[in-house]
Amino acid sequence: MGDEASVAAGQADGAAGPAAEAPGPDLLRREILIPGGHGAAFAARAGQLVEIIDLEGQQVADFVAFAERNRTEWLSTTHTRSALLRLTAVVGDRLESNWRHPMFEIVRDDVGRNDIITSMCDDRRYRLDYGVEGHRSCRTNFTEALEPWGIAEWQIPDPFNFFQNAPIHPDRTFGNEIPTGKAGDKLVLRTLMDSIVSVSACPQDLNPCNGFHPSPLMIRILEPSRGPS
Ligand SMILES: [Zn+2]
């Protein structure tokens, strides 16, 4: 407890002298409840925090984003893997666009399992691989949610699959296992570029991807109490 107090005082001193107030709580700008199997889209300003909360546990959050200034720039798993020289993303990583600009930084990750390899689910996946017609998919979720921003289905890039448990094996194959996320676990991104973001609570219920039971996500957009100076 004593350590926490001294850290807070130190931050205040560093910012504006001994009289500065300790940072207050981050200001909640918006809260979006995404039902299991559905999606949403929203704007996120540079400096804002985007929290993705796994409300019930074992739920994957497919995540795509476009630069607000130019829709030909988007968050790219390929460029992020190349920049990180890693097949997953962890706290401290900056996620890059196809133009090699940092768009988000992971600042908190309670689960510690993120997939940046696999494609999103789409209607062909359910029809061709499972023989199911009319199943909701991450691609249809993104298409519906991004339509108001003039973004078409073909423009949607490969997603970051936060909370997805795709362990990479020594022979370089990878798995698809039940996520380890527990109710209330969250991943927090710091937005580095004004962006249009879409999140899908993946509807996949025919394999372990979401514990065979798609469940809701909560999105919270916050203004940090002490933004970058
Ligand atoms: Zn999906």
Side-chain angles (χ1 to χ4, degrees), residues 1 56 88 106 125-126 129 145 157 184 186 204 209 212 222:
M1 294 300 280
E56 296 182 10
T88 190
I106 301 177
R125 170 76 162 139
Y126 296 103
D129 295 345
K186 68 171 72 169
Q204 176 59 271
C209 183
F212 299 96
L222 302 113

Side-chain angles (χ1 to χ4, degrees), residues 62 120-122 126 137-139 200-204 209-210:
D62 283 45
M120 69 187 75
C121 63
D122 51 39
Y126 296 103
S137 72
C138 286
R139 183 163 287 277
S200 169
C202 179
Q204 176 59 271
C209 183
N210 301 295

Side-chain angles (χ1 to χ4, degrees), residues 44-50 63 65-69 73 75 92-97 100-107 189-195 197 228:
R45 297 276 164 200
Q48 290 181 333
L49 301 175
V50 177
F63 182 102
F66 293 81
E68 190 172 48
R69 65 187 174 193
E73 181 170 18
L75 187 64
D93 284 348
R94 290 186 158 203
L95 314 184
E96 284 199 357
S97 75
R100 301 186 185 276
H101 297 137
M103 291 185 74
F104 299 92
E105 178 181 351
I106 301 177
V107 297
L189 299 165
R190 185 183 308 283
T191 308
L192 304 176
M193 178 193 297
D194 290 352
S195 298
V197 176

Side-chain angles (χ1 to χ4, degrees), residues 120-122 124 137-143 153-154 156:
M120 69 187 75
C121 63
D122 51 39
R124 295 172 203 83
S137 72
C138 286
R139 183 163 287 277
T140 52
N141 286 343
F142 289 137
T143 302
E153 187 270 346
W154 63 269
I156 297 168

